[in-house]
Amino acid sequence: MTAQVIDGKAFAATVRAKVAAQVATLRQTAGIIPGLAVVLVGQDPASQVYVNSKGKQTVEVGMASFEHKLPADTSQAALLAIIAALNGDPSVHGILVQLPLPAHLDCDLVINAINPAKDVDGFHISNVGLLGTGQKAMVPCTPLGCLMLLRNLHGSLAGMDAVVVGRSNIVGKPMANLLLADNCTVTIAHSRTRDLPGVIARADIVVAAVGRPGFVRGAWIKPGATVIDVGINRIERDGKTVLVGDVDFAGAAAVAGAITPVPGGVGPMTIACLLANTLIACARAHGLPEPEGLTA
Ligand code: NAP
């Protein structure tokens, strides 16, 4: 079998186009411009690339982009003061603090200082609790993007066996919650899981969020399963730096029914969902009807 390659890049473009259309309507009918503030502390090269890309795409959909690039030795008090100012700024509807933060900063404290209504990454403890209890939340962008790709492919996910490899707060755990809410039977695997190949072998859906290049082998995958590869790993190949996922793409594509590539799979969906979340946060802040069809 040769798997269908899921084109996350094209799907993300359709999401951004829907966001742009609704932003234009909001601007024309109510004079409101959704605003996204991104805070970057330090000079991590990958984070700088992500932040620049987020800023560019924010402007492209007609939103206001506010970038705060701070030195690596920024104090916790200074960072919290910036977040407090953004919380109080009515032109800012979404706030994102780029992770990872330098080691001297308390990530949980910083994230939980963001107004939950502006927490477009969905990492604030309030949004985590809302998602976990099935209430209306800001949903973390990467797992939301994965869910949208899965729904687009399968329609209903009800009754499917899903295995999420990885239990991080930003991908694995919210991914599992979303799949559970969509009526999958969910297993979360991690570094202490016994017989990971055996666990993966029974999955209709495999979501890999491990941070290890090519970790999930094709031989572990049930024929016809859907494989969502969240991993973004930079490796040297033939003297060049290339991006690869957490799944052995060639091996898995020979067995799976459908698979996301890296790059061009989950990655583009993350920023598209960030923009959708910012529009949703803006509508909620102004008491407007919830934007429809963005994240279905
Ligand atoms: P993370 O916080 O490092 O978590 C990795 C998870 O993988 C942990 O739960 C860990 O288990 C598990 N793991 C590690 N080795 C394992 C093994 N041998 N067997 C089974 N599980 C193992 O990583 P993350 O932040 O979730 O990110 C995961 C990947 O996704 C990375 O490549 C990252 O770059 C990528 N990512 C992509 C996007 C995107 O937009 N596409 C967004 C975010 C992250 P323990 O908990 O037991 O240690």
Side-chain angles (χ1 to χ4, degrees), residues 112-185:
N112 290 329
I114 298 171
N115 175 352
K118 297 190 178 189
D119 168 39
V120 282
D121 252 344
F123 297 159
H124 188 287
I125 188 72
S126 296
N127 283 313
V128 175
L130 290 168
L131 179 65
T133 51
Q135 300 180 68
K136 193 159 85 176
M138 293 308 292
V139 179
C141 304
T142 299
L144 177 58
C146 296
L147 184 76
M148 288 165 67
L149 293 175
L150 286 166
R151 283 180 176 169
N152 185 53
L153 186 70
H154 290 290
S156 169
L157 308 181
M160 296 176 89
D161 269 319
V163 172
V164 180
V165 191
R167 57 176 163 179
S168 70
N169 289 336
I170 64 171
V171 188
K173 285 179 194 159
M175 184 77 250
N177 264 329
L178 288 172
L179 291 166
L180 191 60
D182 262 33
N183 299 310
C184 291
T185 302

Side-chain angles (χ1 to χ4, degrees), residues 6-252:
I6 299 169
D7 190 346
K9 196 174 167 192
F11 193 78
T14 68
V15 176
R16 291 199 307 275
K18 285 186 210 169
V19 171
Q22 295 202 29
V23 169
T25 305
L26 203 55
R27 188 191 282 252
Q28 281 155 15
T29 57
I32 296 167
I33 301 172
L36 172 64
V38 176
V39 181
L40 172 64
V41 186
Q43 275 93 37
D44 178 66
S47 293
Q48 283 180 324
V49 171
Y50 293 140
V51 166
N52 290 341
S53 186
K54 284 167 186 166
K56 185 167 165 275
Q57 294 188 38
T58 302
V59 171
E60 279 171 3
V61 296
M63 294 184 184
S65 169
F66 307 98
E67 286 183 10
H68 295 264
K69 294 184 173 169
L70 310 174
D73 62 355
T74 299
S75 71
Q76 184 130 300
L79 181 56
L80 291 175
I82 287 172
I83 291 172
L86 295 172
N87 282 342
D89 183 343
S91 63
V92 172
H93 303 96
I95 302 170
L96 179 152
V97 175
Q98 185 66 42
L99 302 179
L101 287 170
H104 69 282
L105 297 169
D106 181 338
C107 178
D108 289 340
L109 193 76
V110 169
I111 297 300
N112 290 329
I114 298 171
N115 175 352
K118 297 190 178 189
D119 168 39
V120 282
D121 252 344
F123 297 159
H124 188 287
I125 188 72
S126 296
N127 283 313
V128 175
L130 290 168
L131 179 65
T133 51
Q135 300 180 68
K136 193 159 85 176
M138 293 308 292
V139 179
C141 304
T142 299
L144 177 58
C146 296
L147 184 76
M148 288 165 67
L149 293 175
L150 286 166
R151 283 180 176 169
N152 185 53
L153 186 70
H154 290 290
S156 169
L157 308 181
M160 296 176 89
D161 269 319
V163 172
V164 180
V165 191
R167 57 176 163 179
S168 70
N169 289 336
I170 64 171
V171 188
K173 285 179 194 159
M175 184 77 250
N177 264 329
L178 288 172
L179 291 166
L180 191 60
D182 262 33
N183 299 310
C184 291
T185 302
V186 182
T187 303
I188 307 178
H190 47 78
S191 65
R192 308 293 178 89
T193 296
R194 289 191 197 137
D195 186 23
L196 184 62
V199 171
I200 289 178
R202 62 169 193 261
D204 303 308
I205 295 169
V206 180
V207 181
V210 187
R212 293 178 167 223
F215 175 73
V216 174
R217 315 304 302 172
W220 302 353
I221 290 164
K222 179 162 93 173
T226 300
V227 179
I228 303 292
D229 189 349
V230 180
I232 300 179
N233 307 290
R234 286 172 175 76
I235 63 162
E236 295 297 318
R237 188 182 283 162
D238 303 329
K240 285 188 200 152
T241 303
V242 292
L243 290 186
V244 297
D246 288 342
V247 177
D248 163 28
F249 182 83

Side-chain angles (χ1 to χ4, degrees), residues 2-8 249 253 257-262 264:
T2 303
Q4 172 190 344
V5 178
I6 299 169
D7 190 346
F249 182 83
I259 185 167
T260 56
V262 178

